[in-house]
Amino acid sequence: MKDITKLTDEKIVELVCKKDKELYSQIIKRYQDKLIRYANYLVGEDNYAADIVQESFIKAYINLNGFNTKKKFSSWIYRIVHNEAMNSISKQKKHIPLYKDIDFDSGINLEEDLIKKELKLHANNCLQQMQKIYSEPLALYFLEEKSYGEISDILRIPVGTVGTRINRAKVIMQKICQK
Amino acid sequence: MSKIKKLNKNKAKLDMEKVVMGKIKSDEIKMKPKWLFVLGSTFIMAGLVGLTVGAIFLTNLTIFIIKKRGPGYGRLDLMLNSFPIWIPILAVLGVILGIWMLKKYDFSYKKNFVLIILSFIASVIIAGLLVDQLGLNTIWSHQGPMRMFYQQFQSPQDNSQKVRENGRLYNIHGNGY
C-alpha cells in the first residue's frame, strides 16, 4: 500500500468507506488542530471548541458515505464544524464571547512566523467586535488561508457574496481598529 | 501560551483521536450505508419533479377556470365562494416545501436562492400559459382520464353540446336533456 501520508484526504475517505475504517485516524490527525482553531473562532473557548470538533468527527464518520469524493473534503468537514458550532451556540442560548483568548497555533515554529502572528493577534481584538457574518469569512480567508471557493463551500454562500463580505469586513475592521 | 495550557491542549487532542477511534472500533458509531444517501437523493429529485409538474398543472387549471368562469362570473363573493382556493394554497405549499428541501439539502447551495425561486415561479406560470395556449385544456376537458375532473369546473353551458337535428339546432346538456 502507498504511504498513507501521501494520499489525498478524498482518497483516504474512499479507503475508509471501502476497506479500512481505522484509516479515519489519519483524517483526525490531519484536521483536529485546524478544526479546533476554527471552532475557537466561533465559540471562543478551547474545551468547548474541542467538544464541538470531536462531535463533528463523529458526525462526519457516520455520514462519510454521503460525502462526494469528487469534492473537497476539507470544505465538507469545515462545514460540519460550522453547523455543529452554530447548533451548539443556539442550544446553549448564552452569549459566548467570540475570539477571546484565541490561540493561533498552526503548528509552525513561532519564531518563523512571529510578525504574522502578531498581526493575527492584533486583528483578533478587532474581529471580536464584528458581526459573525463578516468576521467568519475574514478569519477563514486571512487566518485559515482558505480560498474564496472554499469559504463559499464552507459557509454555503455564493463566491460573490464571500468577496463582498470580506471587502465589507475589511472596511469595518479598519474603522474598528483605528478607533 | 503557558506550558500547562499547552499540555492540556495536547492531551485533549490525543484524547479526541482515542475517543473517536474507540467508538469506531467498538462499533458504537457506524457509517450510514451508501444506499440510504442514494435513496434520499432519488426521493428529493422525484419530489422536486413532482412538485414542478403539480405546480404547472395547478397553475394551468387556475387559468382554465378563470377563462371559463371569468371575471364576469357572478358577484364577487359568489366568485370567491366558488373559486377553488385549494389550488393556489396547494401551489404555495408546494413552493414552500420546495424551498425547504432546497435549503435542507445541499445541491443548490451555491446558487442565488432568490433567483431560483423567481425562476421556478416564472417557469411554472409560463408553462401553465403554454399548456393553455396549446389547447391541451380543451383536449383534456373533452377526452382522456382528466375529462371528468375538468368538467366539474365547467359551466353548465359548456357541458352542453350543440346538435343539429332535422335542420334545427338543439342544445344537449350533460344530463342528456
Side-chain angles (χ1 to χ4, degrees), chain A residues 20-65:
Chain A
D20 188 0
K21 57 187 181 183
E22 289 192 24
L23 285 177
Y24 194 65
S25 63
Q26 193 63 35
I27 294 286
I28 300 174
K29 276 182 192 134
R30 285 186 188 185
Y31 279 96
Q32 63 180 1
D33 286 356
K34 294 175 192 172
L35 292 178
I36 289 173
R37 188 175 55 207
Y38 174 58
N40 235 332
Y41 297 146
L42 300 170
V43 298
E45 194 197 307
D46 276 351
N47 290 333
Y48 190 25
D51 286 346
I52 285 166
V53 173
Q54 183 172 308
E55 199 52 41
S56 302
F57 276 129
I58 290 170
K59 282 198 175 158
Y61 179 80
I62 291 169
N63 294 290
L64 213 56
N65 271 318

Side-chain angles (χ1 to χ4, degrees), chain A:
Chain A
M1 189 189 262
K2 270 185 180 176
D3 182 6
I4 211 77
T5 54
K6 286 177 185 167
L7 292 178
T8 62
D9 299 334
E10 293 75 24
K11 188 71 200 165
I12 293 176
V13 169
E14 219 175 296
L15 290 171
V16 172
C17 292
K18 286 178 184 166
K19 290 179 186 170
D20 188 0
K21 57 187 181 183
E22 289 192 24
L23 285 177
Y24 194 65
S25 63
Q26 193 63 35
I27 294 286
I28 300 174
K29 276 182 192 134
R30 285 186 188 185
Y31 279 96
Q32 63 180 1
D33 286 356
K34 294 175 192 172
L35 292 178
I36 289 173
R37 188 175 55 207
Y38 174 58
N40 235 332
Y41 297 146
L42 300 170
V43 298
E45 194 197 307
D46 276 351
N47 290 333
Y48 190 25
D51 286 346
I52 285 166
V53 173
Q54 183 172 308
E55 199 52 41
S56 302
F57 276 129
I58 290 170
K59 282 198 175 158
Y61 179 80
I62 291 169
N63 294 290
L64 213 56
N65 271 318
F67 169 67
N68 180 356
T69 47
K70 284 172 191 160
K71 289 184 178 174
K72 227 170 171 223
F73 179 78
S74 74
S75 303
W76 189 69
I77 193 89
Y78 267 87
R79 178 66 194 173
I80 293 173
V81 173
H82 169 91
N83 284 345
E84 197 60 28
M86 293 304 147
N87 289 342
S88 190
I89 290 168
S90 60
K91 265 182 201 167
Q92 292 213 352
K93 283 192 177 175
K94 66 174 185 184
H95 181 70
I96 296 151
L98 294 173
Y99 307 101
K100 205 174 181 181
D101 193 25
I102 288 180
D103 167 31
F104 287 96
D105 180 13
S106 59
I108 305 163
N109 193 333
L110 267 172
E111 283 81 9
E112 281 179 18
D113 217 0
L114 191 64
I115 298 167
K116 201 175 176 184
K117 285 193 184 296
E118 279 299 319
L119 276 172
K120 284 178 178 179
L121 283 168
H122 179 65
N124 170 42
N125 295 327
C126 307
L127 281 170
Q128 276 185 62
Q129 300 168 55
M130 283 167 78
Q131 269 184 291
K132 202 172 280 176
I133 60 158
Y134 297 118
S135 64
E136 202 178 353
L138 196 72
L140 282 167
Y141 186 68
F142 285 108
L143 309 178
E144 291 299 315
E145 290 165 0
K146 296 277 173 202
S147 68
Y148 276 28
E150 285 173 294
I151 298 169
S152 155
D153 283 340
I154 296 164
L155 300 178
R156 298 285 146 96
I157 51 174
V159 177
T161 311
V162 173
T164 310
R165 286 193 188 170
I166 288 175
N167 285 335
R168 207 164 288 170
K170 281 184 204 166
V171 176
I172 296 168
M173 196 164 175
Q174 225 170 1
K175 280 181 189 169
I176 294 169
C177 290
Q178 280 172 353
K179 273 182 187 174

Side-chain angles (χ1 to χ4, degrees), chain B residues 18 117 125 146 160 168 172:
Chain B
K18 213 173 147 185
I117 296 163
I125 292 169
M146 299 301 288
S160 68
R168 294 180 70 183
I172 308 295

Side-chain angles (χ1 to χ4, degrees), chain B residues 101-161:
Chain B
M101 279 162 75
L102 284 170
K103 271 199 164 176
K104 189 169 171 64
Y105 299 99
D106 289 345
F107 54 89
S108 72
Y109 65 88
K110 281 179 114 177
K111 307 287 184 293
N112 187 333
F113 209 67
V114 177
L115 198 70
I116 288 174
I117 296 163
L118 290 177
S119 311
F120 178 76
I121 293 168
S123 56
V124 164
I125 292 169
I126 290 166
L129 284 167
L130 208 67
V131 168
D132 184 61
Q133 287 298 309
L134 289 171
L136 291 175
N137 277 329
T138 318
I139 295 166
W140 288 340
S141 64
H142 286 106
Q143 60 193 52
M146 299 301 288
R147 191 170 61 92
M148 291 298 283
F149 182 74
Y150 269 88
Q151 279 183 358
Q152 64 178 313
F153 297 112
Q154 285 181 315
S155 56
Q157 295 96 304
D158 295 316
N159 284 334
S160 68
Q161 285 177 297

